Amino acid sequence: FSHPVRINGKDLKAGTYGLHIIVEKDKPWSFIFSNNSSSWGSFFYNDKEDAIRVESTPTNCEFTRYLTYGFDNREASSATAFIQWENKKASFAIEVPSINDIYLTAMRNELRGSTGFNYQNLQAAAQFCVQNKTNLEEGLQWAEAAISAPFFGQEDFNTLQTKSNVLAALGREAEAETVMNKAIKHPTANVGAVHQYGRGLLAAGKKEKAMEIFQYNAKAHPEEKFTPNVGLARGYTAMGDKKNAVKYWEVAIKNIPENQKANTALYEAELKKLKEGK
């Protein structure tokens, strides 16, 4: 283990361990992590070298011809390790405390090298902070560097939106809105990006602001007959204006582009629900 972990809730320091298993017929098995990792097999096992022991109740499983080790339930900060053979499977949980601190330390180290001279890497680091609600002040520095660092910074819809998201996570809503207003009017803000921003506002319960964005998108992209109208239809639906919602769904459905034809039935179902008053 490169970092400290918890095995079935028991703390285990970073390091290399020998793994031994006591197999029982009618009671839980024991997984033993030994400080001795260099001896051959369990022939030289000595319980005085135990780091920790954890118990595992085996379960029945599908037939497995060969002895198999693997990992289930893999998440950012945890996984379940298992051993499986014939019709039995036994496992233990691995958790990594303070996983965000580990990731942040790794990112800081990487961003001090050549990786740090790419605005997209800085943007990704800032997005990590937002997604995990951690290290937001440094995340804001990364977001600002992604936009304005000399020689490689890039101001575009995506980097501005990232900065806005960090500001919002910090509770600086007015600043976040100012930056986002700049983002949607940036030359790189295409109709799809602005639409998705509006959808995000709807999901957050900000239906009035979402409506403003959908209306702006339709005004800024009059040549687009599908996506802005879908946005308006969704916005009016959220506002409880079924008449206008029906109107814009009908316009959108008449102008479905080829790459959206597979979703026609979904859009028609939305329209049908509105017409039926559901």
Side-chain angles (χ1 to χ4, degrees):
F1 297 106
S2 59
H3 295 81
V5 296
R6 291 194 186 105
I7 307 295
N8 279 9
K10 292 186 177 182
D11 291 330
L12 187 63
K13 296 177 181 179
T16 302
Y17 298 92
L19 179 65
H20 304 270
I21 306 169
I22 298 175
V23 176
E24 303 282 3
K25 185 176 181 180
D26 298 313
K27 57 183 181 179
W29 297 2
S30 295
F31 283 94
I32 303 166
F33 292 81
S34 172
N35 288 307
N36 180 351
S37 63
S38 59
S39 296
W40 200 96
S42 296
F43 293 98
F44 303 99
Y45 168 71
N46 185 335
D47 61 9
K48 292 184 175 60
E49 297 173 317
D50 287 3
I52 61 168
R53 286 188 177 206
V54 296
E55 289 190 343
S56 172
T57 300
T59 59
N60 294 324
C61 64
E62 68 275 12
F63 181 81
T64 306
R65 180 178 294 275
Y66 299 105
L67 175 62
T68 301
Y69 294 86
F71 297 91
D72 285 333
N73 308 316
R74 289 178 287 182
E75 302 290 344
S77 62
S78 63
T80 302
F82 68 84
I83 180 173
Q84 184 170 317
W85 200 2
E86 201 183 50
N87 298 113
K88 290 293 181 184
K89 181 178 184 179
S91 59
F92 56 84
I94 305 171
E95 298 173 272
V96 185
S98 305
I99 189 65
N100 287 342
D101 292 340
I102 292 171
Y103 285 145
L104 287 166
T105 297
M107 284 191 288
R108 288 187 193 104
N109 288 335
E110 289 182 16
L111 292 173
R112 289 188 292 187
S114 59
T115 299
F117 292 94
N118 181 316
Y119 77 93
Q120 291 172 317
N121 294 330
L122 290 162
Q123 182 188 351
Q127 288 171 335
F128 174 89
C129 296
V130 173
Q131 290 162 0
N132 293 280
K133 297 180 175 60
T134 186
N135 197 54
L136 292 169
E137 290 293 349
E138 189 172 17
L140 181 58
Q141 293 175 19
W142 287 332
E144 290 172 340
I147 294 169
S148 58
F151 307 114
F152 65 88
Q154 180 74 49
E155 181 183 285
D156 60 22
F157 176 86
N158 292 323
T159 54
L160 288 168
Q161 184 177 42
T162 296
K163 180 179 178 180
S164 175
N165 290 341
V166 179
L167 287 167
L170 284 164
R172 294 157 64 175
E173 294 289 346
E175 293 175 74
E177 186 170 345
T178 297
V179 174
M180 203 60 220
N181 286 338
K182 182 178 182 180
I184 64 173
K185 294 172 184 175
H186 197 276
T188 60
N190 60 50
V191 65
V194 176
H195 177 75
Q196 289 305 318
Y197 171 53
R199 291 290 303 272
L201 290 170
L202 272 187
K206 300 178 180 179
K207 57 185 180 182
E208 291 83 5
K209 182 61 180 178
M211 194 70 233
E212 289 179 24
I213 298 303
F214 292 137
Q215 289 171 334
Y216 168 80
N217 210 18
K219 183 178 179 180
H221 300 280
E223 76 287 356
E224 293 281 351
K225 303 301 181 184
F226 177 70
T227 300
N229 287 310
V230 171
L232 289 169
R234 294 193 186 281
Y236 280 117
T237 299
M239 299 292 288
D241 186 341
K242 292 183 180 180
K243 181 179 178 180
N244 273 315
V246 168
K247 171 186 171 182
Y248 285 104
W249 268 125
E250 288 178 339
V251 175
I253 289 170
K254 286 178 183 177
N255 292 280
I256 294 178
E258 284 300 321
N259 65 355
Q260 287 289 329
K261 288 287 177 67
N263 296 319
T264 299
L266 296 175
Y267 300 132
E268 289 176 341
E270 295 276 1
L271 176 59
K272 183 180 178 181
K273 281 194 300 183
L274 284 167
K275 287 184 173 180
E276 293 175 351
K278 295 181 180 178

